[in-house]
Amino acid sequence: MPGYYDISDILMEDEAVSVAFHVGANGVGLLDPGTETNSVEKGAKIDLPFWLAHELCRRRAVSITIPSCFGQKMKKDVQADAACVDLGTRYPYFYEFGCKLFPLVGDKSIGLFLRHTFANRYKEMLSKSHTASLNAIPKFVLRLSKEEYQLFEAARSSMVEFKKWRVRDLGLMKTTIVGHKRKTDLH
Amino acid sequence: MYARRAAQLLQELSSCEEGQLPPYNGDKFDQVIRECEEHSRQFQSLIRDKDIETKNEDHYGSFIHHLSIIRNKRCLMAYMYKRAEVIQSYRWNVGRVLPREIQDKLNFSEQEYFKDYCGVIDSYMKDLDLDLTVDMVPPKDPYIRVRVLSEIGEVSLGDHAVSLTKDSFHFLRRTDAETFISQGLMEEFVE
C-alpha cells in the first residue's frame, strides 16, 4: 500500500473526476466555476480532484461518474491495439487510479479491463526493454504509464548489468568471443 | 485553493532527477500555509453556532474545507520528508562538506538538519570506532598503489617501517592508506 509520504500516490490523487452532488455545500463556491453564490447546489455536476471526490463519495455526498479513461472509446482503442494507446501523456496513473476508483463506482468491469490492457501491453514492453540501448529513449517509452515505466527501467537496467557482467575483466586475456555477434534472442 | 498549489510544489520536486533537489521554494510553501489559514477561517465561519450532528449544507461545506487542510498538510509533509531523505543521502554520497551549488538549494533549517545529521553519524561512528562512509562499494583489492603528495617521513605500518617521502610511490594496504588519503597527504595512483 502506498504510504502517507509517497509522492506519486499524492500526485495520482490529484486527477480530476466528474461528480454529481447529492447534497448542497455552502462556503465552497470556488469549486464550481459556474456558481454565483458561494455554494454548490444539490445536483450540480463538477470536476473535483480525486482525493476530495473519494472522501465525499464515502460519505455519500456525491456520486462519481466513470471518467473517459475507462469509458467505451478507451475500451475500443485497447481492443484495436493495446500497445499503441498513449497512456504516458494522457493518463500516466492509469492503473493506480483504476484500482482506487473501482470500489467507489461499482462497475465490476474496470478491474478486468485494467488486467486485459496490462497483459496486452506487457509483451511489447518486455521485448522492447530488453533490446533498447541505454542512451536512446524509444518513442514507445513516452506511451507508458508510470507503473509500466518503472518495470521498463528495471528490465533495461538489469539488461545493462548483464551485458557488463558478460564482458567483465577477469584479469585474464580478453578472447575474441566477446566481439562476436551471436544470434541469440538476448541480442 | 483546494490544494492545487501544494500539488504544484510536489510536481516540482518529483520532476527532478533521483538524488537531486530543486531549490527550496519558500514562496510557494508560505502560500500553501496561507491557503490553509483561509480554509480554517471559512471552516470556523461555517460551523459557528451549528449543531454538529445535522448534516446540512454548512456541514458539507465545512467538511470540504477540513479535507483541504488535511490534504495541504499531507503535501507539505511529503515535500519536507522527501527533501530530508535526499539531504541524508548527501552525507553518504557527497561527504561532510557540501559544494556551493547544493548549499544554495537548501534553506536555513535544512542546512542545520544536515549539520545535525552529520554530527549524529559521527558520534555513532566514534562509538563503533569504525568509519562507515569509506568503501561504499566493496573494493576489489585489499592493497592500493599510492603516491605521496607531501613529506610525511618514517611511518611504521604493521610490522615494517616505510619512509614516505614526497613524490614516492608505495603499495600499501587500503586501510592504512585511507587515513592519509582523506587528509590529502597521499593520492591513489591510477594508471
Side-chain angles (χ1 to χ4, degrees):
Chain A
M1 283 299 292
Y4 182 77
Y5 294 116
D6 187 347
I7 293 191
S8 61
D9 186 48
I10 297 178
L11 290 174
M12 183 274 284
E13 291 201 334
D14 225 25
E15 296 270 336
V17 283
S18 176
V19 301
F21 268 75
H22 293 316
V23 295
N26 282 345
V28 289
L30 279 173
L31 284 178
D32 185 4
T35 185
E36 285 141 16
T37 60
N38 188 19
S39 54
V40 171
E41 301 295 317
K42 180 168 169 178
K45 287 201 172 35
I46 328 179
D47 286 336
L48 291 184
F50 180 70
W51 54 270
L52 193 50
H54 168 68
E55 289 295 323
L56 290 174
C57 195
R58 268 183 50 201
R59 283 161 180 77
R60 309 211 192 297
V62 302
S63 61
I64 301 183
T65 41
I66 301 181
S68 59
C69 57
F70 304 114
Q72 282 306 324
K73 182 169 182 306
M74 190 66 171
K75 284 185 177 155
K76 286 210 181 79
D77 286 345
V78 165
Q79 288 277 32
D81 188 356
C84 285
V85 175
D86 189 356
L87 292 185
T89 42
R90 285 158 67 196
Y91 313 111
Y93 296 106
F94 186 72
Y95 298 105
E96 298 94 332
F97 187 39
C99 290
K100 287 227 166 141
L101 188 65
F102 108 95
L104 298 176
V105 171
D107 181 359
K108 303 276 189 297
S109 67
I110 291 185
L112 292 171
F113 174 56
L114 286 178
R115 209 179 73 168
H116 173 77
T117 317
F118 183 69
N120 286 344
R121 289 167 69 88
Y122 185 67
K123 181 170 160 248
E124 173 92 11
M125 191 173 76
L126 193 64
S127 66
K128 285 254 163 66
S129 64
H130 281 128
T131 52
S133 74
L134 192 56
N135 299 325
I137 302 181
K139 283 204 284 287
F140 154 84
V141 171
L142 301 169
R143 292 203 290 260
L144 298 179
S145 79
K146 289 255 177 318
E147 254 189 9
E148 289 171 341
Y149 183 72
Q150 278 171 355
L151 287 176
F152 177 84
E153 275 302 311
R156 193 154 79 166
S157 65
S158 71
M159 211 52 209
V160 165
E161 290 298 316
F162 173 69
K163 286 188 174 134
K164 267 206 301 212
W165 175 81
R166 272 218 333 232
V167 300
R168 71 199 185 285
D169 184 5
L170 293 167
L172 306 172
M173 270 196 335
K174 282 200 169 61
T175 65
T176 52
I177 290 177
V178 174
H180 276 183
K181 280 206 183 331
R182 302 217 320 249
K183 291 198 173 40
T184 63
D185 287 345
L186 295 169
H187 263 282
Chain B
M1 285 295 271
Y2 303 102
R4 276 192 204 110
R5 256 199 209 107
Q8 281 170 1
L9 252 189
L10 284 180
Q11 283 281 17
E12 212 179 270
L13 192 58
S14 72
S15 61
C16 250
E17 275 178 22
E18 195 57 48
Q20 306 278 351
L21 282 182
Y24 179 76
N25 198 335
D27 288 334
K28 236 186 205 133
F29 201 90
D30 291 334
Q31 281 170 3
V32 175
I33 295 184
R34 275 199 292 277
E35 272 181 26
C36 287
E37 286 165 10
E38 174 63 32
H39 279 296
S40 176
R41 264 197 295 277
Q42 302 248 4
F43 179 82
Q44 297 294 340
S45 72
L46 285 168
I47 63 163
R48 160 194 72 204
D49 298 334
K50 298 290 198 311
D51 182 9
I52 295 286
E53 289 307 316
T54 51
K55 299 232 186 314
N56 62 359
E57 283 91 21
D58 284 346
H59 167 90
Y60 287 107
S62 61
F63 184 57
I64 291 179
H65 284 296
H66 164 78
L67 286 176
S68 304
I69 296 177
I70 302 277
R71 171 78 179 173
N72 276 330
K73 175 182 168 190
R74 184 181 178 195
C75 291
L76 293 182
M77 295 280 276
Y79 185 71
M80 298 307 297
Y81 185 79
K82 180 82 176 120
R83 288 182 73 93
E85 269 187 344
V86 178
I87 290 172
Q88 285 177 16
S89 74
Y90 282 149
R91 170 67 182 91
W92 297 96
N93 299 333
V94 179
R96 250 188 221 106
V97 179
L98 294 176
R100 193 80 230 158
E101 316 85 66
I102 297 185
Q103 279 210 334
D104 286 339
K105 292 185 185 163
L106 307 182
N107 79 347
F108 177 68
S109 44
E110 286 173 344
Q111 288 170 357
E112 290 297 308
Y113 177 76
F114 181 76
K115 285 200 197 90
D116 292 341
Y117 184 73
C118 289
V120 165
I121 297 269
D122 288 342
S123 86
Y124 179 67
M125 291 197 297
K126 206 160 76 128
D127 284 344
L128 288 180
D129 202 14
L130 186 66
D131 190 352
L132 293 168
T133 57
V134 302
D135 288 345
M136 295 299 274
V137 176
K140 290 269 189 288
D141 210 327
Y143 284 87
I144 184 178
R145 274 213 194 86
V146 289
R147 179 173 150 244
V148 182
L149 293 173
S150 28
E151 179 70 37
I152 305 172
E154 286 273 329
V155 173
S156 90
L157 297 167
D159 54 349
H160 57 277
V162 185
S163 167
L164 299 169
T165 52
K166 191 166 183 320
D167 292 332
S168 59
F169 291 90
H170 299 275
F171 195 60
L172 300 179
R173 211 178 299 129
R174 190 173 265 265
T175 37
D176 293 334
E178 291 265 356
T179 33
F180 293 114
I181 292 179
S182 62
Q183 288 168 29
L185 300 170
M186 265 189 202
E187 67 175 6
E188 184 181 347
F189 178 66
V190 181
E191 267 143 85

